[in-house]
Amino acid sequence: MDMKKRVSLELRHRSPAEVQELVLDNCRSSEGKIEGITEEFSNLELLSLINVGLTSVADIPKLDKLKKLELSDNRISGGLEVLAERLVNLTHLNLSGNKFKDISTLEPLKKLPQLKSLDLFNCEVTNLGDYRDSIFSLLPQLTYLDGYDADDCEASDSDGEADAVDDEGESEEFWEEEEDDEEDVVAEEDDDDSGDDEEGAVNGEVDSEEDDEDDDEEDDEEDEDEDSSPVKGEKRKRDQEDEEGEDDDE
């Protein structure tokens, strides 16, 4: 697939200004030149052109926000001045597997003040005896060359340690927040329990008062029954005497 068509596919109905990362690896460039990428990609931060058959970067547009440029496995041998002119904020540049033979061909990179990482794996220039010292002297702004700093410390190791410290700090904060949440939950449960106890005590008092009232009513009813029972007895006695009197009259 040619580079222009690949660019169109990668847009996916977006405007160039909306694209921050553009990966065009393994497509084919026409005559070894960059095609389909214009200054309209104004917010582009990563551009990957791995193994696309480039022999020149002369047609790369001005991309002020581009930070990472992947150009490995092409046939570029020079002409890096254009990168310093048009990619002023570049921080990572991968030129591995290209045709650079001399340190002098890399001198234009001195004009990239933000450049922190440069990769030249499998380039002939890496076979020079004083290769690493020469590059760090030529480009003092560099932090990493081929993945290692000037003291031969690997980039991924140092980055990994920093990430590990950050993760550990985040983990401690997470567990502290969890403990605080648990304490809050326990406190709320205690408040609910105390509220239930108070409510129960109040309900108990009310129930006790109601029971006392019921007992008083029962006592009153018994007293009334006792008071009324002699009267009923006297009435029966009178009824019997009246019957006896009627018999005598007869």
Side-chain angles (χ1 to χ4, degrees), residues 30 36 40 49 75 95 116 148 248:
S30 176
E40 292 179 349
L49 296 167
R75 301 192 302 274
L95 296 172
K116 301 300 179 186
Y148 290 84
D248 291 340

Side-chain angles (χ1 to χ4, degrees), residues 3-16:
M3 189 176 293
K4 284 185 178 180
K5 186 174 182 181
R6 179 70 177 275
V7 170
S8 298
L9 290 175
E10 292 294 332
L11 282 174
R12 299 171 187 171
H13 306 294
R14 296 174 294 174
S15 68

Side-chain angles (χ1 to χ4, degrees), residues 3 29-35 37 47 49 52-61 69-71 73-83 86-87 95 98-100:
M3 189 176 293
S29 63
S30 176
E31 300 180 355
K33 299 179 180 179
I34 294 174
E35 300 176 300
I37 303 172
L47 175 60
L49 296 167
V52 297
L54 290 179
T55 58
S56 170
V57 291
D59 294 317
I60 195 166
L69 179 60
E70 295 279 350
L71 294 172
D73 299 327
N74 286 291
R75 301 192 302 274
I76 304 167
S77 58
L80 299 182
E81 295 84 1
V82 67
L83 300 185
R86 301 176 187 175
L87 308 178
L95 296 172
N98 280 281
K99 305 296 182 180
F100 296 98

